[in-house]
Amino acid sequence: SAPRSDPEEPRISAYACQRRTPLDHLNKIFTDASEVLAENAEFSESEGRGLAFRKAGSVLRSLPFAVSRMEDLRGVPCLGEHSRKIIQEILEDGVSGEVEGVLRSERYRAMKALTGVFGVGVKTADRWVREGLRTPGDLLTSGHRLSREQEAGVRYYEDLNCPVTRAEADAIGEIVKEAVHSILPGARVTLTGGFRRGKEAGHDVDLLITHPEEGKEEGLLGKLTSWLDSQGVLLYQRVSEGSGGRGRESGPMDHFHRSFSILKLGEQPGAPPGPPQPGASSAGQTQEAASPRGQGGAQGRGWRAVRVDLVICPYSQFAYALLGWTGSQQFERDLRRFASQERDMSLNSHGLYQREQVRTPPPPHCISESSPPLSLSLSLSSPPL
Ligand code: 8DG
Ligand code: MN
Ligand code: MN
């Protein structure tokens, strides 16, 4: 694509982490389209194509004007031929034929419904679709063997596909805070993920937990989830032990102790959930069904199921963990790409490393919680913020 002719015109960075990306933006009609095409690509395991549409969506979200002619896109990076064709179609016809086709296709709909089950990835959903399954309800009637996670995913399908509100996220935060403080006074619980970015709704609640005295956080996750279980709040969990951030930290995945869980949220945000049902207080045991077929759901039941990620981190890594768990995914991806390609450094949720030192991190420099967002122009030699 041609560079902008006007040298005064600020260039738009190809890195999402260098673009201002407001929650509310002006090009929703185009970003909705690229989201559908990205999903559809991911459903056929075309990761490259999926990423291209995600990048296109991300740059469109950052534009301070509504795109109304193709010329508006001169010099805008991250828009490939395919994305531009879709935008042109929408500008001319109001909709994209290709996107409409995807939305109508039986395969896309089935993949969307089945990957919408907690614990079901693209590979599994694809196999089921080829076997003729279309909805989570079909899973029950077909008698397919489900993992414990998928069973919970089907049981709470409706609730988990109903967006979590900000008030519900705060209420979950309060429940977890109360539990954490009763176990380890002085520990800190921080709401991260989409809600930290200011979103009004999300698919889960992401909580990062630490204690200002390094080492005090060890063993906290097990105690926390036992406490939640004893209160009848823990409907399901899968714990990832990791190394607690004390092993060799490299690669894209982090190594914090964490729990991918489903918690029970009582009727009024902040209100304690109902008493545990006799014999049903352990995660994974039978609870009232949130049926995937329409009846059930949160209404009338007095509680709803909410997906919650609980992450424990040592205090010395808190700044990086907070940065890494705040998202968005595109921002995180490009932040790491920027570190690597522009600074020859390596960034993950544990620290920022000189390239040669990936396996022996220097002591992470201290960034206080009240600091302004980490500026990318900082180098390691800068004084602490
Ligand atoms: P949503 O829940 O509102 O839909 O959006 P979100 O909060 O932005 O998405 P998310 O799926 O909850 O993820 C939030 C951030 O957490 C995401 O940008 C990357 C990060 N994250 C995971 N899993 C992992 C992981 O295993 N390791 C690390 N370091 N980060 C992770 O979701
Ligand atoms: Mn989230
Ligand atoms: Mn999450």
Side-chain angles (χ1 to χ4, degrees):
S1 58
R4 283 180 183 260
S5 45
D6 184 354
E8 297 298 300
E9 199 77 52
R11 269 191 52 78
I12 300 171
S13 174
Y15 291 103
C17 55
Q18 291 194 304
R19 301 190 293 252
R20 175 176 290 277
T21 309
L23 276 179
D24 291 313
H25 64 90
L26 302 163
N27 292 290
K28 200 159 176 332
I29 185 169
F30 307 110
T31 56
D32 284 350
S34 44
E35 164 107 26
V36 170
L37 296 177
E39 272 182 327
N40 194 50
E42 286 153 11
F43 288 162
S44 45
E45 292 183 71
S46 306
E47 300 306 332
R49 213 153 38 88
L51 192 56
F53 286 123
R54 298 264 172 223
K55 285 183 168 184
S58 168
V59 80
L60 289 168
R61 239 172 245 122
S62 77
L63 298 179
F65 55 86
V67 174
S68 62
R69 327 162 293 159
M70 286 310 282
E71 297 85 87
D72 292 342
L73 297 176
R74 279 190 60 192
V76 175
C78 310
L79 293 175
E81 218 174 290
H82 197 158
S83 291
R84 285 174 188 269
K85 199 193 89 199
I86 300 291
I87 293 169
Q88 185 160 14
E89 250 188 310
I90 295 174
L91 287 174
E92 286 168 6
D93 309 334
V95 291
S96 151
E98 184 178 346
V99 173
E100 294 299 296
V102 168
L103 286 171
R104 272 193 310 267
S105 80
E106 200 183 358
R107 180 181 152 78
Y108 171 82
R109 286 163 172 251
M111 287 297 289
K112 179 100 178 156
L114 293 173
T115 56
V117 177
F118 176 56
V120 178
V122 166
K123 281 199 170 71
T124 306
D126 179 70
R127 178 158 40 82
W128 287 342
V129 169
R130 283 189 278 110
E131 289 170 20
L133 304 188
R134 293 293 175 266
T135 67
D138 293 345
L139 279 172
L140 296 179
T141 46
S142 70
H144 270 70
R145 246 194 76 84
L146 300 179
S147 68
R148 206 171 62 86
E149 187 170 40
Q150 292 163 352
E151 217 168 85
V154 171
R155 180 174 304 134
Y156 304 115
Y157 185 75
E158 266 210 0
D159 278 5
L160 301 188
N161 280 282
C162 172
V164 181
T165 65
R166 175 86 210 190
E168 288 169 335
D170 288 336
I172 291 282
E174 287 309 314
I175 291 171
V176 171
K177 247 176 229 167
E178 194 195 316
V180 165
H181 290 157
S182 78
I183 298 160
L184 182 63
R188 297 192 190 168
V189 180
T190 307
L191 184 60
T192 64
F195 290 109
R196 183 159 186 266
R197 304 199 303 276
K199 279 175 65 175
E200 278 304 320
H203 96 283
D204 69 353
V205 181
D206 304 286
L207 294 169
L208 184 61
I209 304 164
T210 188
H211 190 287
E213 254 177 81
E214 187 92 355
K216 279 267 170 85
E217 82 289 350
E218 278 179 58
L220 178 57
L221 188 62
K223 289 177 195 154
L224 169 61
T225 56
S226 299
W227 193 96
L228 293 169
D229 196 17
S230 74
Q231 301 294 302
V233 174
L234 189 66
L235 297 173
Y236 169 86
Q237 76 158 335
R238 177 165 57 88
V239 172
S240 171
E241 277 305 328
S243 63
R246 296 216 156 63
R248 302 160 112 211
E249 324 296 0
S250 63
M253 288 301 283
D254 66 43
H255 304 267
F256 296 125
H257 288 171
R258 60 173 175 259
S259 168
F260 305 97
S261 64
I262 301 175
L263 299 192
K264 183 173 182 175
L265 181 63
E267 208 158 35
Q268 298 94 7
Q277 295 164 285
S281 63
S282 280
Q285 287 186 28
T286 314
Q287 298 271 346
E288 288 168 68
S291 160
R293 280 149 161 192
Q295 69 270 51
Q299 295 91 346
R301 217 196 304 122
W303 59 272
R304 67 161 292 181
V306 180
R307 266 275 297 118
V308 180
D309 286 334
L310 301 168
V311 184
I312 310 284
C313 82
Y315 197 63
S316 60
Q317 298 172 13
F318 178 71
Y320 299 99
L322 185 60
L323 183 62
W325 277 84
T326 297
S328 68
Q329 244 190 69
Q330 204 54 47
F331 179 91
E332 300 293 341
R333 192 178 282 129
D334 280 2
L335 200 52
R336 287 160 201 212
R337 200 164 58 90
F338 184 95
S340 141
Q341 294 180 355
E342 305 294 327
R343 294 291 182 271
D344 199 27
M345 293 171 108
S346 167
L347 174 72
N348 61 24
S349 292
H350 300 280
L352 179 64
Y353 313 100
Q354 298 287 4
R355 250 308 164 55
E356 326 62 74
Q357 303 175 349
V358 170
R359 300 222 170 261
T360 50
H365 52 168
C366 182
I367 298 164
S368 84
E369 231 175 309
S370 53
S371 301
L374 188 61
S375 157
L376 281 169
S377 58
L378 275 178
S379 74
L380 259 189
S381 55
S382 304
L385 286 173

PDB file of all heavy atoms in Angstrom, residues 34-65:
ATOM      1  N   SER A  34     -14.662  -8.400  10.199  1.00  0.00           N
ATOM      2  CA  SER A  34     -13.355  -9.082  10.296  1.00  0.00           C
ATOM      3  C   SER A  34     -13.340 -10.096  11.430  1.00  0.00           C
ATOM      4  O   SER A  34     -12.655 -11.111  11.350  1.00  0.00           O
ATOM      5  CB  SER A  34     -12.182  -8.091  10.406  1.00  0.00           C
ATOM      6  OG  SER A  34     -12.465  -7.064  11.297  1.00  0.00           O
ATOM      7  N   GLU A  35     -14.128  -9.842  12.467  1.00  0.00           N
ATOM      8  CA  GLU A  35     -14.232 -10.816  13.571  1.00  0.00           C
ATOM      9  C   GLU A  35     -14.817 -12.137  13.068  1.00  0.00           C
ATOM     10  O   GLU A  35     -14.315 -13.215  13.397  1.00  0.00           O
ATOM     11  CB  GLU A  35     -15.118 -10.216  14.676  1.00  0.00           C
ATOM     12  CG  GLU A  35     -15.625 -11.221  15.698  1.00  0.00           C
ATOM     13  CD  GLU A  35     -14.942 -11.086  17.042  1.00  0.00           C
ATOM     14  OE1 GLU A  35     -14.475  -9.965  17.341  1.00  0.00           O
ATOM     15  OE2 GLU A  35     -14.878 -12.086  17.775  1.00  0.00           O
ATOM     16  N   VAL A  36     -15.874 -12.047  12.288  1.00  0.00           N
ATOM     17  CA  VAL A  36     -16.511 -13.257  11.743  1.00  0.00           C
ATOM     18  C   VAL A  36     -15.531 -14.026  10.856  1.00  0.00           C
ATOM     19  O   VAL A  36     -15.397 -15.247  10.950  1.00  0.00           O
ATOM     20  CB  VAL A  36     -17.786 -12.894  10.939  1.00  0.00           C
ATOM     21  CG1 VAL A  36     -18.315 -14.109  10.174  1.00  0.00           C
ATOM     22  CG2 VAL A  36     -18.858 -12.331  11.865  1.00  0.00           C
ATOM     23  N   LEU A  37     -14.811 -13.284  10.000  1.00  0.00           N
ATOM     24  CA  LEU A  37     -13.872 -13.954   9.092  1.00  0.00           C
ATOM     25  C   LEU A  37     -12.689 -14.549   9.860  1.00  0.00           C
ATOM     26  O   LEU A  37     -12.176 -15.606   9.504  1.00  0.00           O
ATOM     27  CB  LEU A  37     -13.401 -12.979   8.010  1.00  0.00           C
ATOM     28  CG  LEU A  37     -14.534 -12.496   7.081  1.00  0.00           C
ATOM     29  CD1 LEU A  37     -14.020 -11.472   6.090  1.00  0.00           C
ATOM     30  CD2 LEU A  37     -15.195 -13.667   6.350  1.00  0.00           C
ATOM     31  N   ALA A  38     -12.263 -13.859  10.923  1.00  0.00           N
ATOM     32  CA  ALA A  38     -11.173 -14.395  11.756  1.00  0.00           C
ATOM     33  C   ALA A  38     -11.623 -15.690  12.420  1.00  0.00           C
ATOM     34  O   ALA A  38     -10.922 -16.709  12.374  1.00  0.00           O
ATOM     35  CB  ALA A  38     -10.762 -13.369  12.811  1.00  0.00           C
ATOM     36  N   GLU A  39     -12.803 -15.662  13.023  1.00  0.00           N
ATOM     37  CA  GLU A  39     -13.339 -16.871  13.668  1.00  0.00           C
ATOM     38  C   GLU A  39     -13.429 -18.013  12.666  1.00  0.00           C
ATOM     39  O   GLU A  39     -13.007 -19.130  12.947  1.00  0.00           O
ATOM     40  CB  GLU A  39     -14.763 -16.599  14.163  1.00  0.00           C
ATOM     41  CG  GLU A  39     -14.862 -16.020  15.541  1.00  0.00           C
ATOM     42  CD  GLU A  39     -16.321 -15.829  15.938  1.00  0.00           C
ATOM     43  OE1 GLU A  39     -17.160 -15.540  15.041  1.00  0.00           O
ATOM     44  OE2 GLU A  39     -16.613 -15.974  17.127  1.00  0.00           O
ATOM     45  N   ASN A  40     -13.981 -17.695  11.507  1.00  0.00           N
ATOM     46  CA  ASN A  40     -14.177 -18.726  10.495  1.00  0.00           C
ATOM     47  C   ASN A  40     -12.840 -19.334  10.064  1.00  0.00           C
ATOM     48  O   ASN A  40     -12.739 -20.547   9.880  1.00  0.00           O
ATOM     49  CB  ASN A  40     -14.912 -18.137   9.289  1.00  0.00           C
ATOM     50  CG  ASN A  40     -15.436 -19.209   8.363  1.00  0.00           C
ATOM     51  OD1 ASN A  40     -16.088 -20.148   8.819  1.00  0.00           O
ATOM     52  ND2 ASN A  40     -15.119 -19.099   7.081  1.00  0.00           N
ATOM     53  N   ALA A  41     -11.810 -18.501   9.944  1.00  0.00           N
ATOM     54  CA  ALA A  41     -10.473 -19.003   9.596  1.00  0.00           C
ATOM     55  C   ALA A  41      -9.952 -19.892  10.720  1.00  0.00           C
ATOM     56  O   ALA A  41      -9.411 -20.976  10.479  1.00  0.00           O
ATOM     57  CB  ALA A  41      -9.527 -17.842   9.332  1.00  0.00           C
ATOM     58  N   GLU A  42     -10.132 -19.432  11.960  1.00  0.00           N
ATOM     59  CA  GLU A  42      -9.656 -20.224  13.103  1.00  0.00           C
ATOM     60  C   GLU A  42     -10.402 -21.555  13.190  1.00  0.00           C
ATOM     61  O   GLU A  42      -9.821 -22.570  13.573  1.00  0.00           O
ATOM     62  CB  GLU A  42      -9.807 -19.416  14.401  1.00  0.00           C
ATOM     63  CG  GLU A  42      -8.756 -18.303  14.517  1.00  0.00           C
ATOM     64  CD  GLU A  42      -9.198 -17.105  15.361  1.00  0.00           C
ATOM     65  OE1 GLU A  42     -10.245 -17.194  16.051  1.00  0.00           O
ATOM     66  OE2 GLU A  42      -8.502 -16.078  15.320  1.00  0.00           O
ATOM     67  N   PHE A  43     -11.661 -21.559  12.808  1.00  0.00           N
ATOM     68  CA  PHE A  43     -12.445 -22.794  12.827  1.00  0.00           C
ATOM     69  C   PHE A  43     -11.904 -23.808  11.820  1.00  0.00           C
ATOM     70  O   PHE A  43     -12.177 -25.002  11.930  1.00  0.00           O
ATOM     71  CB  PHE A  43     -13.923 -22.516  12.513  1.00  0.00           C
ATOM     72  CG  PHE A  43     -14.661 -21.820  13.634  1.00  0.00           C
ATOM     73  CD1 PHE A  43     -15.867 -21.171  13.387  1.00  0.00           C
ATOM     74  CD2 PHE A  43     -14.157 -21.819  14.932  1.00  0.00           C
ATOM     75  CE1 PHE A  43     -16.556 -20.530  14.416  1.00  0.00           C
ATOM     76  CE2 PHE A  43     -14.837 -21.176  15.959  1.00  0.00           C
ATOM     77  CZ  PHE A  43     -16.038 -20.521  15.698  1.00  0.00           C
ATOM     78  N   SER A  44     -11.189 -23.332  10.792  1.00  0.00           N
ATOM     79  CA  SER A  44     -10.589 -24.314   9.870  1.00  0.00           C
ATOM     80  C   SER A  44      -9.089 -24.390  10.086  1.00  0.00           C
ATOM     81  O   SER A  44      -8.345 -24.799   9.203  1.00  0.00           O
ATOM     82  CB  SER A  44     -10.944 -23.977   8.421  1.00  0.00           C
ATOM     83  OG  SER A  44     -10.781 -22.614   8.179  1.00  0.00           O
ATOM     84  N   GLU A  45      -8.667 -23.962  11.290  1.00  0.00           N
ATOM     85  CA  GLU A  45      -7.262 -24.030  11.697  1.00  0.00           C
ATOM     86  C   GLU A  45      -6.333 -23.302  10.732  1.00  0.00           C
ATOM     87  O   GLU A  45      -5.191 -23.691  10.539  1.00  0.00           O
ATOM     88  CB  GLU A  45      -6.831 -25.482  11.913  1.00  0.00           C
ATOM     89  CG  GLU A  45      -7.530 -26.083  13.137  1.00  0.00           C
ATOM     90  CD  GLU A  45      -7.084 -27.508  13.437  1.00  0.00           C
ATOM     91  OE1 GLU A  45      -5.944 -27.667  13.879  1.00  0.00           O
ATOM     92  OE2 GLU A  45      -7.893 -28.434  13.230  1.00  0.00           O
ATOM     93  N   SER A  46      -6.847 -22.240  10.098  1.00  0.00           N
ATOM     94  CA  SER A  46      -6.000 -21.374   9.273  1.00  0.00           C
ATOM     95  C   SER A  46      -5.537 -20.223  10.157  1.00  0.00           C
ATOM     96  O   SER A  46      -6.086 -19.122  10.109  1.00  0.00           O
ATOM     97  CB  SER A  46      -6.775 -20.834   8.080  1.00  0.00           C
ATOM     98  OG  SER A  46      -7.352 -21.887   7.355  1.00  0.00           O
ATOM     99  N   GLU A  47      -4.545 -20.519  11.000  1.00  0.00           N
ATOM    100  CA  GLU A  47      -4.110 -19.537  12.004  1.00  0.00           C
ATOM    101  C   GLU A  47      -3.632 -18.240  11.355  1.00  0.00           C
ATOM    102  O   GLU A  47      -3.932 -17.146  11.828  1.00  0.00           O
ATOM    103  CB  GLU A  47      -2.998 -20.121  12.879  1.00  0.00           C
ATOM    104  CG  GLU A  47      -3.390 -21.377  13.654  1.00  0.00           C
ATOM    105  CD  GLU A  47      -4.645 -21.189  14.509  1.00  0.00           C
ATOM    106  OE1 GLU A  47      -4.913 -20.044  14.943  1.00  0.00           O
ATOM    107  OE2 GLU A  47      -5.366 -22.182  14.731  1.00  0.00           O
ATOM    108  N   GLY A  48      -2.882 -18.372  10.253  1.00  0.00           N
ATOM    109  CA  GLY A  48      -2.332 -17.192   9.584  1.00  0.00           C
ATOM    110  C   GLY A  48      -3.428 -16.265   9.092  1.00  0.00           C
ATOM    111  O   GLY A  48      -3.388 -15.049   9.317  1.00  0.00           O
ATOM    112  N   ARG A  49      -4.434 -16.854   8.458  1.00  0.00           N
ATOM    113  CA  ARG A  49      -5.539 -16.058   7.935  1.00  0.00           C
ATOM    114  C   ARG A  49      -6.332 -15.442   9.092  1.00  0.00           C
ATOM    115  O   ARG A  49      -6.720 -14.281   9.042  1.00  0.00           O
ATOM    116  CB  ARG A  49      -6.449 -16.954   7.084  1.00  0.00           C
ATOM    117  CG  ARG A  49      -7.104 -16.271   5.920  1.00  0.00           C
ATOM    118  CD  ARG A  49      -7.437 -17.247   4.781  1.00  0.00           C
ATOM    119  NE  ARG A  49      -7.899 -18.562   5.235  1.00  0.00           N
ATOM    120  CZ  ARG A  49      -9.184 -18.858   5.490  1.00  0.00           C
ATOM    121  NH1 ARG A  49     -10.116 -17.948   5.366  1.00  0.00           N
ATOM    122  NH2 ARG A  49      -9.512 -20.074   5.880  1.00  0.00           N
ATOM    123  N   GLY A  50      -6.517 -16.212  10.143  1.00  0.00           N
ATOM    124  CA  GLY A  50      -7.220 -15.706  11.321  1.00  0.00           C
ATOM    125  C   GLY A  50      -6.511 -14.497  11.899  1.00  0.00           C
ATOM    126  O   GLY A  50      -7.124 -13.469  12.179  1.00  0.00           O
ATOM    127  N   LEU A  51      -5.185 -14.620  12.026  1.00  0.00           N
ATOM    128  CA  LEU A  51      -4.388 -13.534  12.578  1.00  0.00           C
ATOM    129  C   LEU A  51      -4.476 -12.289  11.704  1.00  0.00           C
ATOM    130  O   LEU A  51      -4.577 -11.164  12.206  1.00  0.00           O
ATOM    131  CB  LEU A  51      -2.934 -14.006  12.717  1.00  0.00           C
ATOM    132  CG  LEU A  51      -2.015 -13.123  13.540  1.00  0.00           C
ATOM    133  CD1 LEU A  51      -2.575 -12.923  14.933  1.00  0.00           C
ATOM    134  CD2 LEU A  51      -0.618 -13.748  13.610  1.00  0.00           C
ATOM    135  N   ALA A  52      -4.466 -12.480  10.386  1.00  0.00           N
ATOM    136  CA  ALA A  52      -4.547 -11.343   9.472  1.00  0.00           C
ATOM    137  C   ALA A  52      -5.848 -10.569   9.696  1.00  0.00           C
ATOM    138  O   ALA A  52      -5.849  -9.333   9.744  1.00  0.00           O
ATOM    139  CB  ALA A  52      -4.455 -11.829   8.025  1.00  0.00           C
ATOM    140  N   PHE A  53      -6.967 -11.287   9.852  1.00  0.00           N
ATOM    141  CA  PHE A  53      -8.245 -10.607  10.093  1.00  0.00           C
ATOM    142  C   PHE A  53      -8.289  -9.972  11.487  1.00  0.00           C
ATOM    143  O   PHE A  53      -8.906  -8.928  11.675  1.00  0.00           O
ATOM    144  CB  PHE A  53      -9.416 -11.579   9.896  1.00  0.00           C
ATOM    145  CG  PHE A  53      -9.693 -11.896   8.455  1.00  0.00           C
ATOM    146  CD1 PHE A  53      -9.676 -13.215   8.001  1.00  0.00           C
ATOM    147  CD2 PHE A  53      -9.980 -10.888   7.539  1.00  0.00           C
ATOM    148  CE1 PHE A  53      -9.937 -13.513   6.669  1.00  0.00           C
ATOM    149  CE2 PHE A  53     -10.240 -11.173   6.205  1.00  0.00           C
ATOM    150  CZ  PHE A  53     -10.211 -12.491   5.760  1.00  0.00           C
ATOM    151  N   ARG A  54      -7.638 -10.605  12.468  1.00  0.00           N
ATOM    152  CA  ARG A  54      -7.576  -9.999  13.817  1.00  0.00           C
ATOM    153  C   ARG A  54      -6.795  -8.696  13.762  1.00  0.00           C
ATOM    154  O   ARG A  54      -7.171  -7.704  14.384  1.00  0.00           O
ATOM    155  CB  ARG A  54      -6.901 -10.952  14.809  1.00  0.00           C
ATOM    156  CG  ARG A  54      -7.617 -12.269  15.020  1.00  0.00           C
ATOM    157  CD  ARG A  54      -8.514 -12.263  16.237  1.00  0.00           C
ATOM    158  NE  ARG A  54      -9.323 -13.475  16.303  1.00  0.00           N
ATOM    159  CZ  ARG A  54     -10.616 -13.490  16.615  1.00  0.00           C
ATOM    160  NH1 ARG A  54     -11.246 -12.365  16.905  1.00  0.00           N
ATOM    161  NH2 ARG A  54     -11.288 -14.622  16.648  1.00  0.00           N
ATOM    162  N   LYS A  55      -5.675  -8.705  13.031  1.00  0.00           N
ATOM    163  CA  LYS A  55      -4.860  -7.496  12.910  1.00  0.00           C
ATOM    164  C   LYS A  55      -5.631  -6.392  12.194  1.00  0.00           C
ATOM    165  O   LYS A  55      -5.564  -5.221  12.570  1.00  0.00           O
ATOM    166  CB  LYS A  55      -3.580  -7.786  12.123  1.00  0.00           C
ATOM    167  CG  LYS A  55      -2.547  -8.551  12.913  1.00  0.00           C
ATOM    168  CD  LYS A  55      -1.286  -8.720  12.080  1.00  0.00           C
ATOM    169  CE  LYS A  55      -0.132  -9.219  12.936  1.00  0.00           C
ATOM    170  NZ  LYS A  55       1.115  -9.292  12.172  1.00  0.00           N
ATOM    171  N   ALA A  56      -6.372  -6.776  11.165  1.00  0.00           N
ATOM    172  CA  ALA A  56      -7.174  -5.801  10.421  1.00  0.00           C
ATOM    173  C   ALA A  56      -8.213  -5.182  11.363  1.00  0.00           C
ATOM    174  O   ALA A  56      -8.374  -3.958  11.415  1.00  0.00           O
ATOM    175  CB  ALA A  56      -7.849  -6.468   9.231  1.00  0.00           C
ATOM    176  N   GLY A  57      -8.889  -6.021  12.133  1.00  0.00           N
ATOM    177  CA  GLY A  57      -9.889  -5.526  13.078  1.00  0.00           C
ATOM    178  C   GLY A  57      -9.273  -4.569  14.075  1.00  0.00           C
ATOM    179  O   GLY A  57      -9.838  -3.511  14.389  1.00  0.00           O
ATOM    180  N   SER A  58      -8.085  -4.934  14.554  1.00  0.00           N
ATOM    181  CA  SER A  58      -7.423  -4.116  15.561  1.00  0.00           C
ATOM    182  C   SER A  58      -7.072  -2.727  15.018  1.00  0.00           C
ATOM    183  O   SER A  58      -7.282  -1.715  15.690  1.00  0.00           O
ATOM    184  CB  SER A  58      -6.170  -4.849  16.043  1.00  0.00           C
ATOM    185  OG  SER A  58      -5.357  -3.998  16.803  1.00  0.00           O
ATOM    186  N   VAL A  59      -6.546  -2.661  13.808  1.00  0.00           N
ATOM    187  CA  VAL A  59      -6.164  -1.346  13.270  1.00  0.00           C
ATOM    188  C   VAL A  59      -7.408  -0.509  12.955  1.00  0.00           C
ATOM    189  O   VAL A  59      -7.432   0.704  13.164  1.00  0.00           O
ATOM    190  CB  VAL A  59      -5.216  -1.481  12.041  1.00  0.00           C
ATOM    191  CG1 VAL A  59      -5.961  -1.790  10.770  1.00  0.00           C
ATOM    192  CG2 VAL A  59      -4.379  -0.212  11.878  1.00  0.00           C
ATOM    193  N   LEU A  60      -8.484  -1.163  12.518  1.00  0.00           N
ATOM    194  CA  LEU A  60      -9.718  -0.422  12.218  1.00  0.00           C
ATOM    195  C   LEU A  60     -10.316   0.177  13.497  1.00  0.00           C
ATOM    196  O   LEU A  60     -10.891   1.260  13.491  1.00  0.00           O
ATOM    197  CB  LEU A  60     -10.747  -1.348  11.551  1.00  0.00           C
ATOM    198  CG  LEU A  60     -10.407  -1.756  10.102  1.00  0.00           C
ATOM    199  CD1 LEU A  60     -11.304  -2.889   9.633  1.00  0.00           C
ATOM    200  CD2 LEU A  60     -10.525  -0.543   9.171  1.00  0.00           C
ATOM    201  N   ARG A  61     -10.149  -0.548  14.599  1.00  0.00           N
ATOM    202  CA  ARG A  61     -10.642  -0.075  15.889  1.00  0.00           C
ATOM    203  C   ARG A  61      -9.916   1.199  16.330  1.00  0.00           C
ATOM    204  O   ARG A  61     -10.449   1.974  17.116  1.00  0.00           O
ATOM    205  CB  ARG A  61     -10.412  -1.165  16.942  1.00  0.00           C
ATOM    206  CG  ARG A  61     -11.678  -1.637  17.600  1.00  0.00           C
ATOM    207  CD  ARG A  61     -11.439  -2.839  18.491  1.00  0.00           C
ATOM    208  NE  ARG A  61     -12.139  -3.977  17.938  1.00  0.00           N
ATOM    209  CZ  ARG A  61     -11.597  -5.108  17.579  1.00  0.00           C
ATOM    210  NH1 ARG A  61     -10.296  -5.309  17.729  1.00  0.00           N
ATOM    211  NH2 ARG A  61     -12.318  -6.068  17.076  1.00  0.00           N
ATOM    212  N   SER A  62      -8.704   1.371  15.846  1.00  0.00           N
ATOM    213  CA  SER A  62      -7.898   2.510  16.305  1.00  0.00           C
ATOM    214  C   SER A  62      -8.102   3.761  15.452  1.00  0.00           C
ATOM    215  O   SER A  62      -7.605   4.827  15.811  1.00  0.00           O
ATOM    216  CB  SER A  62      -6.419   2.126  16.297  1.00  0.00           C
ATOM    217  OG  SER A  62      -5.921   2.157  14.967  1.00  0.00           O
ATOM    218  N   LEU A  63      -8.815   3.660  14.348  1.00  0.00           N
ATOM    219  CA  LEU A  63      -8.952   4.835  13.471  1.00  0.00           C
ATOM    220  C   LEU A  63      -9.864   5.885  14.112  1.00  0.00           C
ATOM    221  O   LEU A  63     -10.948   5.555  14.589  1.00  0.00           O
ATOM    222  CB  LEU A  63      -9.515   4.421  12.105  1.00  0.00           C
ATOM    223  CG  LEU A  63      -8.652   3.451  11.290  1.00  0.00           C
ATOM    224  CD1 LEU A  63      -9.328   3.110   9.969  1.00  0.00           C
ATOM    225  CD2 LEU A  63      -7.251   4.025  11.053  1.00  0.00           C
ATOM    226  N   PRO A  64      -9.433   7.156  14.114  1.00  0.00           N
ATOM    227  CA  PRO A  64     -10.229   8.196  14.764  1.00  0.00           C
ATOM    228  C   PRO A  64     -11.354   8.725  13.876  1.00  0.00           C
ATOM    229  O   PRO A  64     -11.987   9.705  14.199  1.00  0.00           O
ATOM    230  CB  PRO A  64      -9.190   9.288  15.049  1.00  0.00           C
ATOM    231  CG  PRO A  64      -8.152   9.114  13.993  1.00  0.00           C
ATOM    232  CD  PRO A  64      -8.130   7.654  13.644  1.00  0.00           C
ATOM    233  N   PHE A  65     -11.601   8.067  12.754  1.00  0.00           N
ATOM    234  CA  PHE A  65     -12.675   8.505  11.856  1.00  0.00           C
ATOM    235  C   PHE A  65     -13.409   7.280  11.335  1.00  0.00           C
ATOM    236  O   PHE A  65     -12.847   6.174  11.332  1.00  0.00           O
ATOM    237  CB  PHE A  65     -12.086   9.300  10.677  1.00  0.00           C
ATOM    238  CG  PHE A  65     -11.021   8.540   9.930  1.00  0.00           C
ATOM    239  CD1 PHE A  65     -11.358   7.664   8.900  1.00  0.00           C
ATOM    240  CD2 PHE A  65      -9.670   8.669  10.276  1.00  0.00           C
ATOM    241  CE1 PHE A  65     -10.372   6.940   8.221  1.00  0.00           C
ATOM    242  CE2 PHE A  65      -8.685   7.946   9.601  1.00  0.00           C
ATOM    243  CZ  PHE A  65      -9.039   7.089   8.573  1.00  0.00           C
TER     244      PHE A  65
END
